[in-house]
Amino acid sequence: MTQTTETPMVELKGVKKRFGDLEVLKGIDLSVDRGKIISIIGPSGSGKSTLLRSVNNLEVIDEGTILLDGVQVNRPDLKGLAYEKHINHIRQNMGMVFQHFNLFPHLSTLDNVTLAPRKLKGMKASDARALGMELLERVGLADKAQVYPSALSGGQKQRVAIARALAMRPKVMLFDEATSALDPELVEEVNLVMKGLAEEHMTMLIVTHEMTFARDVSDWAMFMDGGVVVEANTPEHLFSHPDQERTQHFLRKHLGAQA
Ligand SMILES: Nc1ncnc2c1ncn2[C@@H]1O[C@H](COP(=O)(O)OP(=O)(O)OP(=O)(O)O)[C@@H](O)[C@H]1O
Ligand SMILES: [Mg+2]
C-alpha cells in the first residue's frame, strides 16, 4: 500500500483458490503494513470470506504466497505434525471474528476468553483470569464475566468474541462481517470496540458491508468482484470517487441503500 522498507504484517502475492472448477480467488495481491487497517468490500460471492479464511489458513490456497510478518502461512511442503505445529503457530498470531459468534455455550464469558491462553499457551489460571478480566473490561463487559453466552445480547456476544480473539495477543485481527448479523442498535457498540483497536494500532483486515464504518476506520480500502481486486485506494478516494465503473456501480447501490 505504501512504499516502505519495513516487512508488511500481512502480504499476499498472486493468491489463487479454486473450489472444484470454480476459481474463487484469481490472483490476489495485497500488502498491509503493521498497524494499518484495510477494509475489503465487494458483492456477495466475490471471494471476501475465502480471502480472509485463506489468510488464516482455514482454506488452503492453490497458488501464490501468503506471509504473516514475513513468515509464510501456506506451507504445502509441510506434512503431518510439522504442519499442525506450523498452523497452530500461525493461528495463535491471528484473531478472527466471524459473522456468527461461535462462543462455547457451556463456558462462562470469562472462561470463553481464557480458554485459548490456558490450553494453548499453558497460562496459569490466575494470570489467565487477570488477562480475561482486562480484556472483558476493554470491551465493556467486566460485569458479565460469570454469565453464560445464552444470557448475552448479540452485540455483547460479539464483543466477547473479540475479547476471546485478543486473548492470544495476536499480531493481526481478521473480521468477517462481524456486525452484519446484529440488530442495527447493537452494531455501534461492536464498531466502537473495533475503533478502539484501531486507535491502539492493531493491524486489521475487515470485511464489511458497512461503507460508512469502512470509510471512517480504515487506512486502505479494497473492492473485490469475481475473485479479483478491482481497485484499491485510500478510503477517501475509493468511496468518494472510485476509478472503476464496477466500483461506482457497487457503491451507488450500497451507499444508496444505507442512506
Ligand atoms: N467450501 C466451499 N465450497 C465450494 N464453493 C465455495 C466454498 N466456499 C465458498 N465457495 C464459493 O466461493 C465463492 C466466494 O465465496 P465467499 O464466501 O468467499 O464470498 P463472499 O464475498 O464472502 O460473499 P458474501 O458477501 O455473501 O459473504 C462463492 O461462489 C461461493 O459459493
Ligand atoms: Mg462472506
Side-chain angles (χ1 to χ4, degrees), residues 105-124:
H106 59 292
L107 294 180
S108 70
T109 297
L110 180 62
D111 287 344
N112 262 280
V113 177
T114 58
L115 184 70
R118 284 193 288 125
K119 294 280 181 233
L120 300 177
K121 284 191 175 166
M123 192 180 276
K124 268 192 352 205

Side-chain angles (χ1 to χ4, degrees), residues 13-27:
K13 298 178 197 168
V15 169
K16 295 189 180 178
K17 172 68 187 171
R18 276 185 301 277
F19 290 113
D21 290 340
L22 182 68
E23 193 171 36
V24 174
L25 301 178
K26 298 179 179 165

Side-chain angles (χ1 to χ4, degrees), residues 33 48 133 150 182 196 235 239-240 245:
D33 284 341
K48 305 178 300 294
M133 287 310 297
S150 57
L182 299 177
F239 289 105
S240 302
E245 207 281 322

Side-chain angles (χ1 to χ4, degrees), residues 234-249:
T234 60
E236 295 76 24
H237 189 105
L238 191 108
F239 289 105
S240 302
H241 33 92
D243 297 325
Q244 300 297 323
E245 207 281 322
R246 276 153 93 183
T247 320
Q248 290 162 12
H249 179 78

Side-chain angles (χ1 to χ4, degrees), residues 4-204:
T4 170
T5 52
E6 200 190 343
T7 310
M9 185 55 96
V10 178
E11 195 171 14
L12 281 73
K13 298 178 197 168
V15 169
K16 295 189 180 178
K17 172 68 187 171
R18 276 185 301 277
F19 290 113
D21 290 340
L22 182 68
E23 193 171 36
V24 174
L25 301 178
K26 298 179 179 165
I28 305 286
D29 297 308
L30 168 65
S31 179
V32 186
D33 284 341
R34 193 174 304 268
K36 298 293 179 189
I37 296 155
I38 179 160
S39 291
I40 301 165
I41 60 167
S44 183
S46 57
K48 305 178 300 294
S49 294
T50 306
L51 179 72
L52 276 200
R53 291 169 56 80
S54 298
V55 168
N56 203 8
N57 213 73
L58 286 170
E59 299 291 353
V60 176
I61 59 173
D62 296 304
E63 277 180 54
T65 310
I66 300 174
L67 299 161
L68 169 68
D69 203 9
V71 175
Q72 188 163 336
V73 171
N74 62 309
R75 288 290 300 272
D77 55 314
L78 292 181
K79 303 276 178 271
L81 209 56
Y83 182 74
E84 295 292 317
K85 261 183 87 171
H86 166 71
I87 292 308
N88 281 339
H89 174 75
I90 293 293
R91 297 236 173 98
Q92 287 185 26
N93 281 300
M94 285 195 236
M96 186 148 181
V97 180
F98 301 89
Q99 180 173 357
H100 293 286
F101 10 84
N102 42 1
L103 299 177
F104 303 112
H106 59 292
L107 294 180
S108 70
T109 297
L110 180 62
D111 287 344
N112 262 280
V113 177
T114 58
L115 184 70
R118 284 193 288 125
K119 294 280 181 233
L120 300 177
K121 284 191 175 166
M123 192 180 276
K124 268 192 352 205
S126 56
D127 292 346
R129 190 189 151 77
L131 170 66
M133 287 310 297
E134 175 203 318
L135 292 170
L136 286 176
E137 189 82 49
R138 181 146 148 205
V139 300
L141 289 172
D143 58 330
K144 301 285 186 190
Q146 302 308 330
V147 158
Y148 285 83
S150 57
L152 298 174
S153 73
Q156 289 170 338
K157 282 182 196 163
Q158 208 55 323
R159 285 188 280 150
V160 175
I162 294 173
R164 188 178 58 171
L166 291 171
M168 292 303 286
R169 303 282 190 213
K171 291 181 171 179
V172 178
M173 287 285 286
L174 310 173
F175 292 91
D176 191 356
E177 295 187 28
T179 58
S180 57
L182 299 177
D183 291 339
E185 69 271 21
L186 301 179
V187 168
E188 191 54 25
E189 64 186 55
V190 176
N191 282 349
L192 279 173
V193 170
M194 292 171 69
K195 281 182 180 161
L197 290 176
E199 281 160 15
E200 293 167 27
H201 304 292
M202 172 65 82
T203 310
M204 300 198 265

